[in-house]
Amino acid sequence: MGIFRVAKNSNYVVMNRTALNDNRLSWKAKGIMAYMLSMPDDWVFYMDELMTHSTDGKASFRAGFNELKECGYIE
C-alpha cells in the first residue's frame, strides 16, 4: 500500500506525537486523543457529545477514554 501526499492548505491538524507513539494506548484511545487535540483550544468537551462523533458505542468510547485518563493524558 502506498502513501499519497497532498498539499496541506486547509482542514489539517498539527499535533504532538507523544500520545500517538505511546505503546500503552490502543488505537481507539489514540483516535480519541487526536480528535480532541484537533478542536480549538477553548473547546469544552462533554462525554455524551464526544460519543456522537463515532460509531463506537458508549462502553467502547469509555474504555478508550479511561486509557487516556490512566496514562495521564486527560484529567
Side-chain angles (χ1 to χ4, degrees), residues 4-24:
F4 295 94
R5 303 280 180 189
V6 296
K8 298 166 182 80
N9 299 325
S10 65
N11 206 26
Y12 286 87
V13 173
V14 175
M15 64 179 276
N16 184 300
R17 296 185 307 188
T18 301
L20 297 178
N21 292 328
D22 190 335
N23 292 332
R24 298 174 299 166

Side-chain angles (χ1 to χ4, degrees), residues 13-60:
V13 173
V14 175
M15 64 179 276
N16 184 300
R17 296 185 307 188
T18 301
L20 297 178
N21 292 328
D22 190 335
N23 292 332
R24 298 174 299 166
L25 297 177
S26 67
W27 285 112
K28 178 188 328 191
K30 291 175 184 187
I32 293 168
M33 188 74 204
Y35 180 79
M36 292 175 72
L37 289 173
S38 75
M39 295 299 152
D41 291 340
D42 62 347
W43 198 265
V44 178
F45 295 99
Y46 297 96
M47 185 92 67
D48 290 336
E49 193 271 332
L50 278 173
M51 287 183 218
T52 66
H53 294 274
S54 177
T55 59
D56 288 349
K58 288 183 179 185
S60 178

